[in-house]
Amino acid sequence: MNSIKKESHIKIYIQTDIEGVAGYCFCEHKDPKMENVQHCHRMYRLLTDEVNAAVKACFDSGADEVLVNDSHGSGYNIIFENLDPRCRIIHGRNCSGPHWLPLLDASCDALVLVGMHAMGETPNAIVPHSKWKVNGGKIYLSEGSMAAAIAGDHGVPTVFVSGDDKIIAEIKGKIPGIETAEVKKALSVYQACSVIPARACEMIYSRVKNGIGRRSEIKPFHIPGPIKLNLLDAPGHIDLKELLPKDVEAPTVDQAFMEFERRMSWNCFGTSKLDGFVFP
Ligand SMILES: [Zn+2]
């Protein structure tokens, strides 16, 4: 890491997902009725407000640059025309990108996680999915802690996480001192007792600010390599479990994760071809 650069230019990376947003219990649904589309758009607005609260907190803490990664599903969830114009957003078809976390590198001063969900197989968590088994089960990672581990490979500390009580408990156990906003208690996979969105945004704003201010006290979450990776619960692809790569090995978490993603048949990381695919 270059400490001289870090004194003069503070850059924060915000990784986002939607399942951990206050008010969210489900979004995509098998029911094609119009009311479900409206429900999804309502969830996108709630996500956008929470992301905006985090962005404002970063700038109010002295950040010079804030990158937001719209990472759920299609990669087009955040209503970016409503975002604080000081930040920039990474969006579009996220599986066509160079990386799951594009532009996250050692030039970032901190990672902030907004709207995270629990790992697959977690009881009574809102829409739990993705469970990464690392080195034969020495450690298990959710999408949130995977992002933190990838940041950790670059020496970047993860200073904040928001989501339900289950993901907060997991991440707190792995990253001592991390700031958290528990915006809902999950009661089942599709039911929660949630704080009201305006309150969630207040919590996110104040705790992201604390996290950025305390970033030098929070250690990067680093898992030493070599790494062997398996995915125990793939979102929406349970029936394709047999097709998942197995025992993917690499020197670091970042390399193992991206190698795993590249080997999954439905991903197209690094593609340079247009395929005519249109997201619904
Ligand atoms: Zn998601």
Side-chain angles (χ1 to χ4, degrees):
M1 283 190 292
N2 183 337
S3 56
I4 295 166
K5 183 231 152 244
K6 284 178 182 291
E7 293 303 321
S8 59
H9 185 91
I10 298 171
K11 178 173 167 186
I12 311 296
Y13 195 102
I14 303 180
Q15 167 71 349
T16 71
D17 208 344
I18 201 167
E19 292 90 343
V21 166
Y24 180 104
C25 289
F26 56 87
C27 189
E28 293 87 354
H29 206 264
K30 301 282 183 267
D31 182 357
K33 273 193 260 163
M34 196 59 192
E35 63 199 64
N36 193 55
V37 173
Q38 288 168 356
H39 173 77
C40 273
H41 280 277
R42 186 177 180 202
M43 297 303 114
Y44 297 156
R45 285 198 300 276
L46 298 178
L47 167 67
T48 303
D49 288 348
E50 289 196 6
V51 172
N52 251 338
V55 170
K56 189 171 188 306
C58 293
F59 283 112
D60 288 355
S61 307
D64 299 289
E65 188 179 350
V66 177
L67 290 178
V68 173
N69 187 26
D70 187 339
S71 196
H72 171 78
S74 66
Y76 254 129
N77 312 280
I78 295 169
I79 306 166
F80 48 90
E81 55 269 45
N82 293 345
L83 276 190
D84 187 317
R86 293 172 294 179
C87 73
R88 285 183 295 158
I89 186 162
I90 300 160
H91 60 183
R93 286 182 54 196
N94 47 23
C95 70
S96 74
H99 197 285
W100 181 52
L101 301 169
L103 308 178
L104 176 68
D105 58 25
S107 71
C108 296
D109 293 88
L111 174 67
V112 164
L113 301 171
V114 174
M116 297 294 117
H117 57 80
M119 71 173 78
E121 302 175 348
T122 306
N124 299 324
I126 289 293
V127 199
H129 59 269
S130 303
K131 182 175 186 176
W132 295 95
K133 183 180 176 185
V134 181
N135 294 345
K138 287 206 175 71
I139 186 166
Y140 291 90
L141 299 177
S142 60
E143 291 174 21
S145 51
M146 175 60 81
I150 291 171
D153 280 345
H154 297 284
V156 177
T158 301
V159 301
F160 171 85
V161 60
S162 67
D164 71 13
D165 53 320
K166 310 303 187 304
I167 183 66
I168 299 291
E170 186 233 333
I171 301 251
K172 257 183 162 172
K174 291 185 167 106
I175 307 175
I178 190 170
E179 292 282 337
T180 64
E182 183 186 304
V183 298
K184 57 192 170 189
K185 278 207 191 312
L187 304 175
S188 76
V189 287
Y190 294 127
Q191 188 186 43
C193 178
S194 182
V195 303
I196 300 308
R199 174 66 188 135
C201 290
E202 285 172 8
M203 290 162 69
I204 289 168
Y205 176 79
S206 66
R207 293 169 201 178
V208 168
K209 249 180 123 179
N210 291 345
I212 305 286
R214 294 179 46 248
R215 67 188 182 279
S216 61
E217 298 166 26
I218 302 169
K219 272 204 197 136
F221 176 52
H222 181 242
I223 303 172
I227 299 296
K228 187 161 77 177
L229 214 53
N230 283 280
L231 181 58
L232 300 188
D233 179 17
H237 298 289
I238 307 298
D239 51 333
L240 296 176
K241 225 170 183 175
E242 285 308 305
L243 299 177
L244 288 175
K246 290 191 178 59
D247 293 334
V248 173
E249 293 184 73
T252 66
V253 172
D254 187 3
Q255 289 164 334
F257 177 82
M258 285 312 297
E259 180 57 28
F260 195 101
E261 293 286 313
R262 277 189 285 270
R263 286 196 208 167
M264 291 205 282
S265 54
W266 53 86
N267 277 342
C268 51
F269 282 97
T271 188
S272 57
K273 286 189 187 146
L274 301 182
D275 57 10
F277 185 92
V278 178
F279 258 99

PDB file of all heavy atoms in Angstrom, residues 17 19 72-73 117 120 127-132 143 231-240 244 261 264 266:
ATOM      1  N   ASP A  17     -25.698  -4.975  -2.298  1.00  0.00           N
ATOM      2  CA  ASP A  17     -26.614  -6.056  -2.656  1.00  0.00           C
ATOM      3  C   ASP A  17     -27.985  -5.597  -2.184  1.00  0.00           C
ATOM      4  O   ASP A  17     -28.089  -4.544  -1.535  1.00  0.00           O
ATOM      5  CB  ASP A  17     -26.169  -7.373  -1.997  1.00  0.00           C
ATOM      6  CG  ASP A  17     -26.601  -8.584  -2.804  1.00  0.00           C
ATOM      7  OD1 ASP A  17     -27.487  -8.444  -3.676  1.00  0.00           O
ATOM      8  OD2 ASP A  17     -26.068  -9.679  -2.564  1.00  0.00           O
ATOM      9  N   GLU A  19     -30.639  -7.830  -0.827  1.00  0.00           N
ATOM     10  CA  GLU A  19     -31.398  -8.653   0.129  1.00  0.00           C
ATOM     11  C   GLU A  19     -31.299  -8.138   1.566  1.00  0.00           C
ATOM     12  O   GLU A  19     -32.159  -8.431   2.389  1.00  0.00           O
ATOM     13  CB  GLU A  19     -30.914 -10.108   0.066  1.00  0.00           C
ATOM     14  CG  GLU A  19     -31.260 -10.819  -1.234  1.00  0.00           C
ATOM     15  CD  GLU A  19     -30.201 -10.672  -2.313  1.00  0.00           C
ATOM     16  OE1 GLU A  19     -29.341  -9.776  -2.198  1.00  0.00           O
ATOM     17  OE2 GLU A  19     -30.225 -11.464  -3.282  1.00  0.00           O
ATOM     18  N   HIS A  72     -26.091  -6.701  -7.323  1.00  0.00           N
ATOM     19  CA  HIS A  72     -27.147  -7.727  -7.253  1.00  0.00           C
ATOM     20  C   HIS A  72     -27.628  -8.109  -8.657  1.00  0.00           C
ATOM     21  O   HIS A  72     -27.806  -7.234  -9.521  1.00  0.00           O
ATOM     22  CB  HIS A  72     -28.326  -7.196  -6.439  1.00  0.00           C
ATOM     23  CG  HIS A  72     -29.531  -8.078  -6.485  1.00  0.00           C
ATOM     24  ND1 HIS A  72     -29.634  -9.231  -5.740  1.00  0.00           N
ATOM     25  CD2 HIS A  72     -30.675  -7.992  -7.202  1.00  0.00           C
ATOM     26  CE1 HIS A  72     -30.797  -9.809  -6.002  1.00  0.00           C
ATOM     27  NE2 HIS A  72     -31.445  -9.076  -6.886  1.00  0.00           N
ATOM     28  N   GLY A  73     -27.830  -9.402  -8.871  1.00  0.00           N
ATOM     29  CA  GLY A  73     -28.498  -9.906 -10.073  1.00  0.00           C
ATOM     30  C   GLY A  73     -28.007  -9.272 -11.365  1.00  0.00           C
ATOM     31  O   GLY A  73     -26.866  -9.461 -11.776  1.00  0.00           O
ATOM     32  N   HIS A 117     -26.613 -10.103   2.613  1.00  0.00           N
ATOM     33  CA  HIS A 117     -27.475 -11.194   3.105  1.00  0.00           C
ATOM     34  C   HIS A 117     -26.607 -12.324   3.646  1.00  0.00           C
ATOM     35  O   HIS A 117     -25.422 -12.426   3.325  1.00  0.00           O
ATOM     36  CB  HIS A 117     -28.359 -11.726   1.976  1.00  0.00           C
ATOM     37  CG  HIS A 117     -27.569 -12.215   0.794  1.00  0.00           C
ATOM     38  ND1 HIS A 117     -26.958 -13.450   0.771  1.00  0.00           N
ATOM     39  CD2 HIS A 117     -27.262 -11.620  -0.381  1.00  0.00           C
ATOM     40  CE1 HIS A 117     -26.330 -13.595  -0.379  1.00  0.00           C
ATOM     41  NE2 HIS A 117     -26.483 -12.499  -1.096  1.00  0.00           N
ATOM     42  N   GLY A 120     -25.672 -19.133   2.347  1.00  0.00           N
ATOM     43  CA  GLY A 120     -26.600 -20.240   2.144  1.00  0.00           C
ATOM     44  C   GLY A 120     -26.645 -21.144   3.366  1.00  0.00           C
ATOM     45  O   GLY A 120     -25.654 -21.272   4.079  1.00  0.00           O
ATOM     46  N   VAL A 127     -33.533 -14.633   2.613  1.00  0.00           N
ATOM     47  CA  VAL A 127     -33.039 -15.131   1.322  1.00  0.00           C
ATOM     48  C   VAL A 127     -31.542 -15.509   1.376  1.00  0.00           C
ATOM     49  O   VAL A 127     -30.731 -14.975   0.604  1.00  0.00           O
ATOM     50  CB  VAL A 127     -33.293 -14.106   0.192  1.00  0.00           C
ATOM     51  CG1 VAL A 127     -33.228 -14.788  -1.176  1.00  0.00           C
ATOM     52  CG2 VAL A 127     -34.651 -13.442   0.331  1.00  0.00           C
ATOM     53  N   PRO A 128     -31.179 -16.438   2.263  1.00  0.00           N
ATOM     54  CA  PRO A 128     -29.754 -16.785   2.346  1.00  0.00           C
ATOM     55  C   PRO A 128     -29.308 -17.562   1.111  1.00  0.00           C
ATOM     56  O   PRO A 128     -30.045 -18.420   0.627  1.00  0.00           O
ATOM     57  CB  PRO A 128     -29.690 -17.685   3.592  1.00  0.00           C
ATOM     58  CG  PRO A 128     -31.040 -18.323   3.657  1.00  0.00           C
ATOM     59  CD  PRO A 128     -32.014 -17.290   3.118  1.00  0.00           C
ATOM     60  N   HIS A 129     -28.159 -17.230   0.574  1.00  0.00           N
ATOM     61  CA  HIS A 129     -27.609 -17.991  -0.559  1.00  0.00           C
ATOM     62  C   HIS A 129     -26.122 -17.716  -0.695  1.00  0.00           C
ATOM     63  O   HIS A 129     -25.621 -16.743  -0.153  1.00  0.00           O
ATOM     64  CB  HIS A 129     -28.354 -17.664  -1.863  1.00  0.00           C
ATOM     65  CG  HIS A 129     -28.322 -16.219  -2.261  1.00  0.00           C
ATOM     66  ND1 HIS A 129     -29.276 -15.324  -1.866  1.00  0.00           N
ATOM     67  CD2 HIS A 129     -27.451 -15.514  -3.010  1.00  0.00           C
ATOM     68  CE1 HIS A 129     -29.009 -14.133  -2.363  1.00  0.00           C
ATOM     69  NE2 HIS A 129     -27.893 -14.215  -3.059  1.00  0.00           N
ATOM     70  N   SER A 130     -25.452 -18.568  -1.427  1.00  0.00           N
ATOM     71  CA  SER A 130     -23.996 -18.559  -1.621  1.00  0.00           C
ATOM     72  C   SER A 130     -23.289 -18.917  -0.306  1.00  0.00           C
ATOM     73  O   SER A 130     -23.415 -18.212   0.694  1.00  0.00           O
ATOM     74  CB  SER A 130     -23.462 -17.192  -2.079  1.00  0.00           C
ATOM     75  OG  SER A 130     -24.106 -16.781  -3.266  1.00  0.00           O
ATOM     76  N   LYS A 131     -22.609 -20.044  -0.322  1.00  0.00           N
ATOM     77  CA  LYS A 131     -21.822 -20.444   0.844  1.00  0.00           C
ATOM     78  C   LYS A 131     -20.502 -20.986   0.329  1.00  0.00           C
ATOM     79  O   LYS A 131     -20.464 -22.052  -0.289  1.00  0.00           O
ATOM     80  CB  LYS A 131     -22.575 -21.507   1.652  1.00  0.00           C
ATOM     81  CG  LYS A 131     -21.841 -21.953   2.908  1.00  0.00           C
ATOM     82  CD  LYS A 131     -22.689 -22.907   3.716  1.00  0.00           C
ATOM     83  CE  LYS A 131     -22.028 -23.260   5.043  1.00  0.00           C
ATOM     84  NZ  LYS A 131     -22.884 -24.111   5.877  1.00  0.00           N
ATOM     85  N   TRP A 132     -19.453 -20.236   0.566  1.00  0.00           N
ATOM     86  CA  TRP A 132     -18.140 -20.619   0.066  1.00  0.00           C
ATOM     87  C   TRP A 132     -17.398 -21.407   1.130  1.00  0.00           C
ATOM     88  O   TRP A 132     -17.237 -20.931   2.256  1.00  0.00           O
ATOM     89  CB  TRP A 132     -17.346 -19.361  -0.321  1.00  0.00           C
ATOM     90  CG  TRP A 132     -17.982 -18.646  -1.463  1.00  0.00           C
ATOM     91  CD1 TRP A 132     -18.860 -17.600  -1.404  1.00  0.00           C
ATOM     92  CD2 TRP A 132     -17.805 -18.951  -2.858  1.00  0.00           C
ATOM     93  NE1 TRP A 132     -19.241 -17.240  -2.679  1.00  0.00           N
ATOM     94  CE2 TRP A 132     -18.612 -18.039  -3.573  1.00  0.00           C
ATOM     95  CE3 TRP A 132     -17.050 -19.894  -3.552  1.00  0.00           C
ATOM     96  CZ2 TRP A 132     -18.680 -18.060  -4.964  1.00  0.00           C
ATOM     97  CZ3 TRP A 132     -17.117 -19.916  -4.930  1.00  0.00           C
ATOM     98  CH2 TRP A 132     -17.922 -19.002  -5.622  1.00  0.00           C
ATOM     99  N   GLU A 143     -21.289 -13.964   0.618  1.00  0.00           N
ATOM    100  CA  GLU A 143     -20.849 -13.013  -0.409  1.00  0.00           C
ATOM    101  C   GLU A 143     -20.192 -11.793   0.253  1.00  0.00           C
ATOM    102  O   GLU A 143     -19.208 -11.251  -0.256  1.00  0.00           O
ATOM    103  CB  GLU A 143     -22.044 -12.578  -1.271  1.00  0.00           C
ATOM    104  CG  GLU A 143     -22.569 -13.702  -2.149  1.00  0.00           C
ATOM    105  CD  GLU A 143     -23.845 -13.314  -2.906  1.00  0.00           C
ATOM    106  OE1 GLU A 143     -24.100 -12.110  -3.080  1.00  0.00           O
ATOM    107  OE2 GLU A 143     -24.583 -14.221  -3.310  1.00  0.00           O
ATOM    108  N   LEU A 231     -18.171 -24.124  -3.729  1.00  0.00           N
ATOM    109  CA  LEU A 231     -19.421 -23.399  -3.485  1.00  0.00           C
ATOM    110  C   LEU A 231     -20.484 -24.412  -3.097  1.00  0.00           C
ATOM    111  O   LEU A 231     -20.784 -25.330  -3.862  1.00  0.00           O
ATOM    112  CB  LEU A 231     -19.836 -22.628  -4.748  1.00  0.00           C
ATOM    113  CG  LEU A 231     -21.117 -21.800  -4.660  1.00  0.00           C
ATOM    114  CD1 LEU A 231     -21.055 -20.766  -3.539  1.00  0.00           C
ATOM    115  CD2 LEU A 231     -21.383 -21.088  -5.996  1.00  0.00           C
ATOM    116  N   LEU A 232     -21.044 -24.242  -1.882  1.00  0.00           N
ATOM    117  CA  LEU A 232     -22.006 -25.227  -1.389  1.00  0.00           C
ATOM    118  C   LEU A 232     -23.446 -24.885  -1.742  1.00  0.00           C
ATOM    119  O   LEU A 232     -24.317 -25.719  -1.710  1.00  0.00           O
ATOM    120  CB  LEU A 232     -21.889 -25.357   0.136  1.00  0.00           C
ATOM    121  CG  LEU A 232     -20.526 -25.814   0.660  1.00  0.00           C
ATOM    122  CD1 LEU A 232     -20.605 -26.088   2.152  1.00  0.00           C
ATOM    123  CD2 LEU A 232     -20.030 -27.054  -0.073  1.00  0.00           C
ATOM    124  N   ASP A 233     -23.705 -23.628  -2.057  1.00  0.00           N
ATOM    125  CA  ASP A 233     -25.089 -23.220  -2.292  1.00  0.00           C
ATOM    126  C   ASP A 233     -25.093 -22.094  -3.312  1.00  0.00           C
ATOM    127  O   ASP A 233     -24.772 -20.973  -3.000  1.00  0.00           O
ATOM    128  CB  ASP A 233     -25.708 -22.742  -0.973  1.00  0.00           C
ATOM    129  CG  ASP A 233     -27.138 -22.278  -1.169  1.00  0.00           C
ATOM    130  OD1 ASP A 233     -27.733 -22.615  -2.209  1.00  0.00           O
ATOM    131  OD2 ASP A 233     -27.646 -21.575  -0.287  1.00  0.00           O
ATOM    132  N   ALA A 234     -25.428 -22.426  -4.541  1.00  0.00           N
ATOM    133  CA  ALA A 234     -25.392 -21.415  -5.597  1.00  0.00           C
ATOM    134  C   ALA A 234     -26.770 -20.794  -5.760  1.00  0.00           C
ATOM    135  O   ALA A 234     -27.765 -21.503  -5.856  1.00  0.00           O
ATOM    136  CB  ALA A 234     -24.961 -22.045  -6.907  1.00  0.00           C
ATOM    137  N   PRO A 235     -26.850 -19.464  -5.782  1.00  0.00           N
ATOM    138  CA  PRO A 235     -28.152 -18.794  -5.832  1.00  0.00           C
ATOM    139  C   PRO A 235     -28.919 -19.110  -7.106  1.00  0.00           C
ATOM    140  O   PRO A 235     -28.427 -18.903  -8.212  1.00  0.00           O
ATOM    141  CB  PRO A 235     -27.782 -17.303  -5.813  1.00  0.00           C
ATOM    142  CG  PRO A 235     -26.356 -17.257  -6.277  1.00  0.00           C
ATOM    143  CD  PRO A 235     -25.735 -18.538  -5.834  1.00  0.00           C
ATOM    144  N   GLY A 236     -30.130 -19.635  -6.931  1.00  0.00           N
ATOM    145  CA  GLY A 236     -30.985 -19.866  -8.087  1.00  0.00           C
ATOM    146  C   GLY A 236     -30.506 -20.975  -9.011  1.00  0.00           C
ATOM    147  O   GLY A 236     -31.073 -21.207 -10.054  1.00  0.00           O
ATOM    148  N   HIS A 237     -29.439 -21.635  -8.638  1.00  0.00           N
ATOM    149  CA  HIS A 237     -28.878 -22.662  -9.522  1.00  0.00           C
ATOM    150  C   HIS A 237     -28.710 -23.982  -8.777  1.00  0.00           C
ATOM    151  O   HIS A 237     -27.823 -24.754  -9.080  1.00  0.00           O
ATOM    152  CB  HIS A 237     -27.502 -22.223 -10.048  1.00  0.00           C
ATOM    153  CG  HIS A 237     -27.566 -20.980 -10.868  1.00  0.00           C
ATOM    154  ND1 HIS A 237     -28.122 -20.943 -12.110  1.00  0.00           N
ATOM    155  CD2 HIS A 237     -27.149 -19.732 -10.601  1.00  0.00           C
ATOM    156  CE1 HIS A 237     -28.043 -19.711 -12.594  1.00  0.00           C
ATOM    157  NE2 HIS A 237     -27.462 -18.957 -11.694  1.00  0.00           N
ATOM    158  N   ILE A 238     -29.562 -24.174  -7.789  1.00  0.00           N
ATOM    159  CA  ILE A 238     -29.430 -25.363  -6.947  1.00  0.00           C
ATOM    160  C   ILE A 238     -29.431 -26.630  -7.807  1.00  0.00           C
ATOM    161  O   ILE A 238     -28.662 -27.547  -7.571  1.00  0.00           O
ATOM    162  CB  ILE A 238     -30.595 -25.446  -5.929  1.00  0.00           C
ATOM    163  CG1 ILE A 238     -30.713 -24.130  -5.142  1.00  0.00           C
ATOM    164  CG2 ILE A 238     -30.436 -26.618  -4.983  1.00  0.00           C
ATOM    165  CD1 ILE A 238     -29.547 -23.749  -4.308  1.00  0.00           C
ATOM    166  N   ASP A 239     -30.275 -26.638  -8.838  1.00  0.00           N
ATOM    167  CA  ASP A 239     -30.373 -27.826  -9.679  1.00  0.00           C
ATOM    168  C   ASP A 239     -29.119 -27.997 -10.548  1.00  0.00           C
ATOM    169  O   ASP A 239     -28.924 -29.037 -11.155  1.00  0.00           O
ATOM    170  CB  ASP A 239     -31.616 -27.741 -10.569  1.00  0.00           C
ATOM    171  CG  ASP A 239     -31.695 -26.432 -11.331  1.00  0.00           C
ATOM    172  OD1 ASP A 239     -31.144 -25.435 -10.837  1.00  0.00           O
ATOM    173  OD2 ASP A 239     -32.294 -26.414 -12.417  1.00  0.00           O
ATOM    174  N   LEU A 240     -28.294 -26.967 -10.594  1.00  0.00           N
ATOM    175  CA  LEU A 240     -27.081 -27.054 -11.403  1.00  0.00           C
ATOM    176  C   LEU A 240     -25.853 -27.375 -10.544  1.00  0.00           C
ATOM    177  O   LEU A 240     -24.723 -27.284 -11.006  1.00  0.00           O
ATOM    178  CB  LEU A 240     -26.844 -25.727 -12.142  1.00  0.00           C
ATOM    179  CG  LEU A 240     -27.923 -25.346 -13.157  1.00  0.00           C
ATOM    180  CD1 LEU A 240     -27.626 -23.975 -13.738  1.00  0.00           C
ATOM    181  CD2 LEU A 240     -27.985 -26.370 -14.281  1.00  0.00           C
ATOM    182  N   LEU A 244     -21.191 -27.268 -10.874  1.00  0.00           N
ATOM    183  CA  LEU A 244     -20.260 -26.313 -10.258  1.00  0.00           C
ATOM    184  C   LEU A 244     -18.836 -26.852 -10.297  1.00  0.00           C
ATOM    185  O   LEU A 244     -18.614 -28.053 -10.120  1.00  0.00           O
ATOM    186  CB  LEU A 244     -20.644 -26.077  -8.792  1.00  0.00           C
ATOM    187  CG  LEU A 244     -21.896 -25.256  -8.524  1.00  0.00           C
ATOM    188  CD1 LEU A 244     -22.185 -25.230  -7.033  1.00  0.00           C
ATOM    189  CD2 LEU A 244     -21.737 -23.838  -9.057  1.00  0.00           C
ATOM    190  N   GLU A 261     -15.385 -18.388 -10.656  1.00  0.00           N
ATOM    191  CA  GLU A 261     -16.436 -17.691 -11.411  1.00  0.00           C
ATOM    192  C   GLU A 261     -16.272 -17.919 -12.917  1.00  0.00           C
ATOM    193  O   GLU A 261     -17.242 -18.120 -13.638  1.00  0.00           O
ATOM    194  CB  GLU A 261     -16.392 -16.186 -11.110  1.00  0.00           C
ATOM    195  CG  GLU A 261     -16.770 -15.825  -9.693  1.00  0.00           C
ATOM    196  CD  GLU A 261     -18.265 -15.958  -9.440  1.00  0.00           C
ATOM    197  OE1 GLU A 261     -19.045 -15.474 -10.256  1.00  0.00           O
ATOM    198  OE2 GLU A 261     -18.632 -16.558  -8.416  1.00  0.00           O
ATOM    199  N   MET A 264     -17.647 -21.244 -14.093  1.00  0.00           N
ATOM    200  CA  MET A 264     -19.096 -21.491 -14.042  1.00  0.00           C
ATOM    201  C   MET A 264     -19.687 -21.187 -15.418  1.00  0.00           C
ATOM    202  O   MET A 264     -19.486 -20.104 -15.968  1.00  0.00           O
ATOM    203  CB  MET A 264     -19.758 -20.636 -12.961  1.00  0.00           C
ATOM    204  CG  MET A 264     -19.349 -21.081 -11.573  1.00  0.00           C
ATOM    205  SD  MET A 264     -20.540 -20.677 -10.276  1.00  0.00           S
ATOM    206  CE  MET A 264     -20.237 -18.970 -10.007  1.00  0.00           C
ATOM    207  N   TRP A 266     -22.495 -20.390 -16.637  1.00  0.00           N
ATOM    208  CA  TRP A 266     -23.431 -19.292 -16.906  1.00  0.00           C
ATOM    209  C   TRP A 266     -22.777 -17.922 -16.754  1.00  0.00           C
ATOM    210  O   TRP A 266     -23.413 -16.906 -16.990  1.00  0.00           O
ATOM    211  CB  TRP A 266     -24.664 -19.395 -16.010  1.00  0.00           C
ATOM    212  CG  TRP A 266     -24.346 -19.500 -14.555  1.00  0.00           C
ATOM    213  CD1 TRP A 266     -24.131 -18.471 -13.690  1.00  0.00           C
ATOM    214  CD2 TRP A 266     -24.214 -20.709 -13.794  1.00  0.00           C
ATOM    215  NE1 TRP A 266     -23.859 -18.962 -12.434  1.00  0.00           N
ATOM    216  CE2 TRP A 266     -23.908 -20.327 -12.465  1.00  0.00           C
ATOM    217  CE3 TRP A 266     -24.315 -22.072 -14.102  1.00  0.00           C
ATOM    218  CZ2 TRP A 266     -23.709 -21.280 -11.445  1.00  0.00           C
ATOM    219  CZ3 TRP A 266     -24.112 -22.999 -13.084  1.00  0.00           C
ATOM    220  CH2 TRP A 266     -23.821 -22.593 -11.790  1.00  0.00           C
TER     221      TRP A 266
END
